Amino acid sequence: EVQLVESGGGLVEAGGSLRLSCAASGFILADVAVGWFRLAPGKERDRVSCISSGDGSTYYADSVKGRFTISRDNAKNTVDLQMNSLKPEDTAVYSCAIVKLGTCRRAYEYAYWGQGTQVTVSS
């Protein structure tokens, strides 16, 4: 079975931190580029971060740059998203997906979307 499962979401106060995990089964996550996305009510889905295969280059949306860090834990076959200095506007369902076609810089197709994990940041 090939799938991704997100975990680590929860309720946190503004200024707090959470660490999300995107765990893969059925394939080696280190071999592919992986993106983190979020969807808030009434808004379009936004890519917040992406990590490349190969050289491991990282990419961040301007809204999270300097606060979020994407990384790999290949021993656990995961891609993690460390979220610091959280703001209420970060509240969303966070999902991960692999770049099936293309690269982080130019992705044509994503695949194996997880169910998502809810992040709620209170004031």
Side-chain angles (χ1 to χ4, degrees):
E1 185 180 22
V2 175
Q3 65 175 16
L4 297 175
V5 177
E6 302 93 340
S7 63
L11 176 63
V12 65
E13 295 181 342
S17 299
L18 284 172
R19 188 174 183 88
L20 307 183
S21 182
C22 175
S25 61
F27 66 101
I28 300 174
L29 201 53
D31 293 341
V32 296
V34 179
W36 275 101
F37 302 79
R38 67 187 182 189
L39 180 63
K43 297 183 178 180
E44 293 186 335
R45 186 177 63 197
D46 182 42
R47 194 181 85 172
V48 298
S49 189
C50 191
I51 185 165
S52 297
S53 61
D55 68 1
S57 297
T58 58
Y59 302 84
Y60 300 94
D62 288 342
S63 59
V64 307
K65 195 170 298 181
R67 299 188 297 120
F68 291 12
T69 303
I70 190 170
S71 63
R72 295 182 182 274
D73 188 337
N74 292 335
K76 296 181 179 179
N77 204 24
T78 67
V79 168
D80 301 328
L81 186 69
Q82 178 67 46
M83 306 186 298
N84 298 326
S85 302
L86 283 163
K87 305 174 181 179
E89 50 262 46
D90 295 320
T91 295
V93 175
Y94 284 72
S95 302
C96 61
I98 71 163
V99 180
K100 186 176 182 180
L101 181 63
T103 63
C104 282
R105 190 178 304 200
R106 182 170 290 188
Y108 298 99
E109 183 181 353
Y110 295 93
Y112 305 120
W113 294 90
Q115 294 281 63
T117 185
Q118 176 71 48
V119 171
T120 303
V121 184
S122 66
S123 301

